[in-house]
Amino acid sequence: MPYRRTPKVQERLDAQRATIVAAATEQLAEHGYSGCSVSAVAERAGVAVGSVYQHFPTKADLVVHVFRQVVTREVDAVRAASARPGEPAERVLAVFETFAQRALKAPRQAYALLAEPVDARIDAERLEFRRAFTDVVAEHVAAGVKAGALPPQDGRLTAAALVGAAAEVLIGPLTSGNAGDVAELRTFVVRALGGSDARHA
Amino acid sequence: MPYRRTPKVQERLDAQRATIVAAATEQLAEHGYSGCSVSAVAERAGVAVGSVYQHFPTKADLVVHVFRQVVTREVDAVRAASARPGEPAERVLAVFETFAQRALKAPRQAYALLAEPVDARIDAERLEFRRAFTDVVAEHVAAGVKAGALPPQDGRLTAAALVGAAAEVLIGPLTSGNAGDVAELRTFVVRALGGSDARHA
DNA sequence: GTCTATAGTTCGATAGAC
DNA sequence: GTCTATCGAACTATAGAC
């Protein structure tokens, strides 16, 4: 009789996989990619190194999986923050304030997502990450232009610029350990949008 | 009699090294990192694969060397452009217009410098690249604030934001092949600086 | 899962400098 | 005659195709 994976076994496998992913996510958040050696992840998950490879063919696949999961969480967070009622410019601001606050609360993780030198696979994921982020911002900028609350501009270009700006501004504090100045970033975004708030900011 | 490297031999060695570096630079500019296989570089340089390893212990070392050389050239170009007389805001604009124009003239190279997924060593070099770029911009922003031509702001933060913005905006056109809209980028920079030109831009 | 293609690196052989 | 710069096929690993 051929071996068949019973539901019970499958359940245990799924649970183990989740444990491993959770351990890798925590390692990433606390120690970045340097802390994501397979042995460190396995130890944290309470499994053998070999068990990690039962679920992921290579370490890179595990790390990419974790990266995507964390990024999805972050993009969802800023999307939710910007979905709350308000002027388009305020929605854009909500995106970046949420982004910055979350990054500064988990600086090691943010650095890993944004800039920590790793490999080509993660580099490619980062491009995707920024594109997703830009999509969220671009919508609100375009809405602002359409409503006349913002001066005429290419929404996607402004959005890309703001995403690049926010990422670059955060990398400094994340690297040096200094608390970044979120208020200054806010001022920059307001001015760059050219919204009516620009004068009082 | 022990063998001693004569000046003549050394000269030939230096010339060969320069040839290899030039070939790698051209490959990078035309085909990015994908075009920088050791065999392709060697062929272009007219030497054997093994000879490359006489000058660089690994391919990564060669590529990092080329990256640094090209980046130095680019940073020097924008620094020179911004050194010409003018208002601080105009100097900042000169940096980004020069940057963008040069990038669009050599799109494959620019993509390689800015975003092409590669490896951790190049990622680390990119952080340095952006820091050097930010330094140039920050000086002019600070000068503008001091002269009262720009509203009070953290010069380094604004500079980092603009560098991030410009890089991110360029990645789109560089990836898609569309000619990027440099004029729109200019408008963005002007607004973000908050200079007196902002109203007529 | 096997097989093929490709890329980075190594190394023994050769030719030429000393 | 000794030593080394150069060469390029061979080795090893990895990625993609079937």
Side-chain angles (χ1 to χ4, degrees):
Chain A
M1 170 181 173
Y3 177 82
R4 290 213 166 273
R5 226 175 242 184
T6 63
K8 188 158 186 173
V9 171
Q10 186 59 49
E11 197 181 333
R12 192 164 47 78
L13 273 174
D14 291 349
Q16 188 183 57
R17 185 187 153 105
T19 306
I20 290 166
V21 170
T25 305
E26 290 162 16
Q27 284 293 108
L28 188 72
E30 290 172 20
H31 306 109
Y33 298 105
S34 349
C36 280
S37 72
V38 177
S39 63
V41 170
E43 189 173 353
R44 183 157 198 160
V47 304
V49 172
S51 300
V52 173
Y53 287 95
Q54 294 254 320
H55 302 277
F56 298 93
T58 69
K59 172 189 157 171
D61 288 292
L62 167 62
V63 172
V64 166
H65 177 84
V66 169
F67 183 95
R68 283 191 183 146
Q69 199 167 276
V70 176
V71 159
T72 303
R73 194 207 293 154
E74 296 302 311
V75 173
D76 286 351
V78 300
R79 188 181 287 123
S82 72
R84 291 178 354 212
E87 291 292 310
E90 281 169 20
R91 286 170 180 244
V92 174
L93 278 171
V95 168
F96 291 107
E97 290 190 332
T98 304
F99 175 62
Q101 280 162 5
R102 292 176 64 91
L104 294 172
K105 254 185 226 165
R108 194 66 187 78
Q109 173 178 284
Y111 180 62
L113 294 189
L114 288 173
E116 185 180 356
V118 210
D119 60 29
R121 303 253 328 252
I122 295 292
D123 284 349
E125 293 296 323
R126 282 191 181 126
L127 292 175
E128 269 303 302
F129 172 26
R130 292 187 171 210
R131 210 188 48 71
F133 218 98
T134 300
D135 288 343
V136 175
V137 176
E139 264 183 57
H140 297 306
V141 174
V145 171
K146 199 165 188 179
L150 296 177
Q153 58 193 291
D154 179 340
R156 279 210 65 80
L157 184 137
T158 300
L162 290 176
V163 168
E168 191 69 22
V169 164
L170 280 169
I171 289 172
L174 293 174
T175 311
S176 68
N178 301 347
D181 197 338
V182 180
E184 277 270 350
L185 175 61
R186 184 193 158 90
T187 306
F188 179 90
V189 173
V190 168
R191 265 207 311 263
L193 282 170
S196 49
D197 299 8
R199 250 77 65 186
H200 356 132
Chain B
M1 171 182 175
Y3 178 89
R4 292 220 160 269
R5 204 176 265 183
T6 62
K8 187 157 190 175
V9 171
Q10 185 60 49
E11 196 181 334
R12 190 164 48 83
L13 235 41
D14 291 349
Q16 188 183 56
R17 185 188 153 104
T19 305
I20 290 167
V21 170
T25 305
E26 290 162 17
Q27 284 293 108
L28 188 72
E30 290 172 21
H31 306 109
Y33 297 105
S34 348
C36 280
S37 73
V38 178
S39 61
V41 170
E43 190 174 354
R44 184 158 198 157
V47 302
V49 174
S51 298
V52 174
Y53 287 90
Q54 292 259 321
H55 303 277
F56 299 94
T58 69
K59 172 192 160 169
D61 288 294
L62 167 62
V63 172
V64 165
H65 177 84
V66 170
F67 183 95
R68 284 193 182 142
Q69 198 168 276
V70 176
V71 160
T72 302
R73 193 206 294 155
E74 296 303 310
V75 172
D76 285 350
V78 300
R79 187 181 287 122
S82 71
R84 289 174 4 206
E87 291 294 309
E90 283 168 19
R91 287 169 180 244
V92 174
L93 279 171
V95 168
F96 291 107
E97 290 191 331
T98 304
F99 176 61
Q101 280 162 5
R102 292 177 65 90
L104 293 173
K105 255 186 226 165
R108 194 66 187 78
Q109 173 179 283
Y111 180 63
L113 294 187
L114 288 173
E116 185 178 356
V118 210
D119 61 29
R121 300 232 359 232
I122 295 293
D123 284 350
E125 293 295 324
R126 283 191 181 126
L127 292 175
E128 269 303 302
F129 173 25
R130 293 188 171 209
R131 208 187 49 71
F133 217 98
T134 300
D135 287 343
V136 175
V137 175
E139 263 183 58
H140 297 307
V141 174
V145 171
K146 198 163 188 181
L150 297 177
Q153 59 193 290
D154 179 339
R156 280 209 66 80
L157 184 138
T158 299
L162 291 176
V163 167
E168 191 69 22
V169 164
L170 279 170
I171 290 172
L174 294 174
T175 311
S176 67
N178 301 346
D181 196 339
V182 180
E184 277 271 351
L185 175 61
R186 185 193 157 90
T187 306
F188 179 89
V189 173
V190 169
R191 264 210 311 265
L193 281 170
S196 49
D197 300 6
R199 250 78 63 185
H200 358 131

